[in-house]
Amino acid sequence: RTCSKLNNFRAMEASKYFILLTMCAPILGLPPSNNSSEINCENSGDCSSGKVCVNFKCGDPCHGGCGPNTICLTVDKVSMCACKPGFTGYPFNGCYPEECRMDSDCPEERECRNKRCEDVCKNACGLNTHCKAINHYPVCSCSPEHVWNPFLGCQVQKAKDCTEDSDCLSNRTCINYECVDPCDSVCGNNTICTVENHTIACACKPGFIGNPFQNCVSQVIKECTMDEDCPSNHTCNNGVCAETCNAICGLNTICIIKNNHAACSCKPGFVGNPFMECVDQSTIELQKKYYIGKEKVTWTTAIERCRSKDMYFASITCPSEQNDIKRACNESGISGLVWVSGSDLGSAGEYVWNSTGKGFTYTNWKSGEPEVSDAYPCVALHTLDYKWQTRACRIGRYYACEYFRS
């Protein structure tokens, strides 16, 4: 029944002074000789009370088990080691006299560590430092001609340029005893930094706007924000005054700009969408149809809306077309003023159809109309009586488009 291997020792605190050690018994070993009479035991159960089996012999479990200045007790064949009263340490290795229980038990330059009075300055301060113990605490300071953090390490002190801003030039400030340019990393991008009387001022560069302490961005100077900012024969396009006719009208058209509004019309004898292309009227035989836009837009926007639908801004050139547009309005269910393409934007009092460029050969004016005025150059009809009226082009109204079917 010999143990096949040595069990591990396990220690734990049993009381304030005692540590329990449990050992395998018997400990593995070889008989002292081939004479079986020298074998007293095979395990501790073969030994008398207070004895344990060690190397096949019954013996005192305390023998050699505890260190100096300790007490060994045996309880049920298990040895327990403890430091003697007034001693501290690890009883299996040895105990030493207790020096303290708190800092006040030690001299002022020492502190109580593990019940021993230790040097309070030991490993407390950094390089190039001086340590002084005051009331059991280390007080670190840099050695002469050294500066920085005495707990981490001190460096050789440079000669002081200044102790305050007034020791420096007016465009410098005192930082860490040196006169330096305070503009470094203070102002944002695209800025100008100036220092006067040691005070920093950040400003955006010319042509830039924003917060100069964070970031300034390029400022685009716009020539215009609305058509009225431009000459009367130009319109505002992306902040620039431009001649709208250069790009807005199609082939075989006439472009007229008045009061910052472009009016495209087909050349005489041509029909079609003047914003795209006009064709010779003599070459086509088509029936005109009308479409009524149910959203309210300005007169010039109505031109664009019709064009986006591959239609033309409506014209009325005869009584039958007057009846056709009336029928289209009734079918749409709208009520109110409806834009048509007539205007005198080209010449006051000379009304032409924007879709054809031709003057009026048929009219259905309301009594007292047209009112020839720069304020009311555009033509609309009212669904109440389908009479024509002149109105301000900028007001949102329903609109009529025309298209042709064979």
Side-chain angles (χ1 to χ4, degrees):
R1 293 181 294 176
T2 303
C3 289
S4 61
K5 58 182 178 180
L6 181 65
N7 287 343
N8 292 329
F9 287 94
R10 178 179 298 174
M12 66 179 181
E13 185 175 0
S15 65
K16 184 174 182 181
Y17 297 106
F18 291 95
I19 297 177
L20 176 63
L21 176 66
T22 303
M23 299 183 297
C24 172
I27 298 176
L28 178 63
L30 295 175
S33 68
N34 293 329
N35 189 349
S36 60
S37 62
E38 296 183 11
I39 299 177
N40 301 130
C41 60
E42 292 184 0
N43 57 58
S44 295
D46 298 334
C47 301
S48 61
S49 177
K51 302 290 185 178
V52 294
C53 187
V54 180
N55 290 331
F56 303 101
K57 290 185 178 182
C58 294
D60 184 358
C62 282
H63 180 70
C66 301
N69 301 315
T70 60
I71 299 172
C72 181
L73 299 176
T74 302
V75 178
D76 194 19
K77 300 185 180 183
V78 176
S79 62
M80 292 186 294
C81 300
C83 291
K84 291 180 179 180
F87 288 78
T88 187
Y90 187 62
F92 293 97
N93 293 333
C95 300
Y96 51 86
E98 291 183 357
E99 295 182 356
C100 60
R101 292 181 180 272
M102 59 184 67
D103 289 345
S104 59
D105 296 335
C106 302
E108 183 180 6
E109 69 276 6
R110 293 179 176 272
E111 63 180 349
C112 189
R113 300 178 192 166
N114 299 322
K115 298 183 180 181
R116 303 189 73 170
C117 292
E118 302 285 352
D119 183 2
V120 73
C121 281
K122 185 178 180 180
N123 299 323
C125 302
L127 296 174
N128 302 315
T129 60
H130 173 71
C131 180
K132 181 179 180 181
I134 298 178
N135 195 24
H136 311 289
Y137 284 95
V139 177
C140 301
S141 60
C142 289
S143 300
E145 299 182 355
H146 288 74
V147 293
W148 197 45
N149 188 329
F151 288 94
L152 300 177
C154 299
Q155 299 174 343
V156 176
Q157 182 181 14
K158 297 180 180 179
K160 293 182 180 180
D161 292 338
C162 58
T163 56
E164 55 187 23
D165 289 344
S166 59
D167 296 334
C168 305
L169 297 175
S170 62
N171 63 343
R172 295 288 187 269
T173 57
C174 186
I175 300 177
N176 292 330
Y177 305 108
E178 293 185 26
C179 292
V180 298
D181 182 359
C183 282
D184 292 342
S185 303
V186 173
C187 300
N189 296 325
N190 303 312
T191 58
I192 298 173
C193 179
T194 58
V195 183
E196 185 175 351
N197 293 329
H198 316 290
T199 302
I200 300 173
C202 298
C204 291
K205 291 180 179 179
F208 289 80
I209 57 174
N211 185 339
F213 290 95
Q214 295 180 0
N215 187 40
C216 294
V217 296
S218 177
Q219 181 183 24
V220 178
I221 301 176
K222 293 185 177 181
E223 185 179 2
C224 59
T225 56
M226 59 182 67
D227 291 341
E228 287 75 5
D229 297 334
C230 302
S232 61
N233 62 341
H234 288 66
T235 58
C236 187
N237 185 14
N238 293 327
V240 178
C241 292
E243 293 185 6
T244 308
C245 282
N246 291 338
I248 196 171
C249 298
L251 296 175
N252 302 314
T253 60
I254 299 172
C255 179
I256 299 174
I257 299 180
K258 183 179 180 181
N259 296 332
N260 308 109
H261 289 281
C264 299
S265 60
C266 292
K267 291 180 179 180
F270 287 78
V271 294
N273 186 338
F275 293 95
M276 299 179 67
E277 181 181 5
C278 295
V279 296
D280 190 340
Q281 189 175 13
S282 63
T283 63
I284 57 174
E285 293 184 4
L286 300 174
Q287 184 179 2
K288 182 187 293 187
K289 301 288 185 180
Y290 290 102
Y291 166 85
I292 307 301
K294 295 183 180 181
E295 68 272 23
K296 292 185 177 182
V297 298
T298 64
W299 188 84
T300 53
T301 301
I303 298 174
E304 299 173 0
R305 294 295 173 87
C306 291
R307 180 173 58 177
S308 69
K309 302 177 188 300
D310 292 330
M311 300 180 185
Y312 314 110
F313 202 7
S315 62
I316 306 171
T317 61
C318 60
S320 63
E321 292 181 356
Q322 175 73 28
N323 290 332
D324 290 341
I325 199 169
K326 177 180 178 180
R327 186 181 305 109
C329 289
N330 288 335
E331 291 175 353
S332 70
I334 63 165
S335 177
L337 286 166
V338 181
W339 287 126
V340 292
S341 71
S343 75
D344 67 344
L345 288 170
S347 179
E350 296 182 8
Y351 291 91
V352 297
W353 296 110
N354 175 273
S355 58
T356 64
K358 294 182 178 181
F360 286 12
T361 57
Y362 164 80
T363 61
N364 190 31
W365 293 111
K366 181 180 179 179
S367 178
E369 296 285 351
E371 181 179 347
V372 179
S373 168
D374 287 344
Y376 302 106
C378 296
V379 179
L381 59 84
H382 202 294
T383 58
L384 181 64
D385 54 10
Y386 292 95
K387 296 293 185 179
W388 302 357
Q389 308 174 24
T390 55
R391 287 290 180 265
C393 302
R394 296 180 181 277
I395 305 301
R397 308 189 189 284
Y398 302 114
Y399 61 95
C401 303
E402 63 184 29
Y403 59 97
F404 295 88
R405 292 290 184 269
S406 57

